[in-house]
Amino acid sequence: MSAPLPPLVDAVVAALLVFGGAFALVGAFGLAKLGDFLKRLHGPTKVTTLGIGSILVASMLWFGLRGGAPPAHELLITLFVFITAPVAAHMMVKGAMAIDDSTKPPPPPERPHDAG
Amino acid sequence: MTAAVLPWVLAMLGAAIFLALYRLVRGPGLPDRILALDTLYVVTTALLIALGIWLDSGVYFEAAMIIALLGFVGTVAFARYLERGDVVE
């Protein structure tokens, strides 16, 4: 498009891209590797925050600092993903609890009923 | 430097997609498959944004946005199906 970025900004963009890609890979590896559903939920939540977040920041720097339009698209995607990711995870755990008793927390211990 | 690093980032995101696909096929339960689908949506969004930087084009943001949006709606619908046995009551 327009003028190339200064070397420092270029290096920051590259570092953010590698950071985000590495987090996406580690999160997906956790999804594939870990032992039960509640453990597996940890990996993808890292992908939806740090992974996609740093890739979006890299994109904002890349397209925003070259005299083009302000990076509204990236901001919208960031906002949307960061708002919806916890909601989606919460709904998934509620669904898992509805069909699988092993994901429910243990009941509270029995206490003798004291009248008065 | 970004140009040198981008193919590796795309490869990492592709490997993440394959790991999520492995969990999608393997299961073992419905919640795991929904979680794998949700991860697929998110990683695909990141992949499209990285592809936009690689091709130096802003066209892919709309596609990434639509995938993120419909992915969330799909995840919520699947989770509601698990919870209530029905998507829209």
Side-chain angles (χ1 to χ4, degrees), chain A residues 24-87:
Chain A
L25 186 56
V26 168
F29 183 71
L31 172 71
K33 182 76 183 160
L34 289 175
D36 75 55
F37 175 73
L38 294 180
K39 288 178 193 160
R40 274 177 215 136
L41 198 64
H42 279 296
T45 50
K46 278 27 169 205
V47 182
T48 51
T49 50
L50 276 169
I52 196 170
S54 57
I55 286 182
L56 280 161
V57 171
S59 177
M60 275 186 232
L61 289 174
W62 179 256
F63 287 107
L65 288 181
R66 297 199 301 174
H73 278 105
E74 291 97 320
L75 272 178
L76 272 177
I77 298 176
T78 314
L79 209 68
F80 185 78
V81 167
F82 278 21
I83 288 173
T84 57
V87 180

Side-chain angles (χ1 to χ4, degrees), chain A residues 5-18 58-59 62, chain B residues 1-9 50 53-54:
Chain A
L5 286 174
L8 181 65
V9 180
D10 193 40
V12 170
V13 168
L16 278 170
L17 279 171
V18 171
S59 177
W62 179 256
Chain B
M1 193 172 182
T2 305
V5 133
L6 258 171
W8 295 100
V9 174
I53 301 178
W54 172 242

Side-chain angles (χ1 to χ4, degrees), chain B residues 39-54:
Chain B
T39 314
L40 267 181
Y41 292 133
V42 172
V43 178
T44 309
T45 311
L47 185 65
L48 272 176
I49 293 160
L51 189 70
I53 301 178
W54 172 242

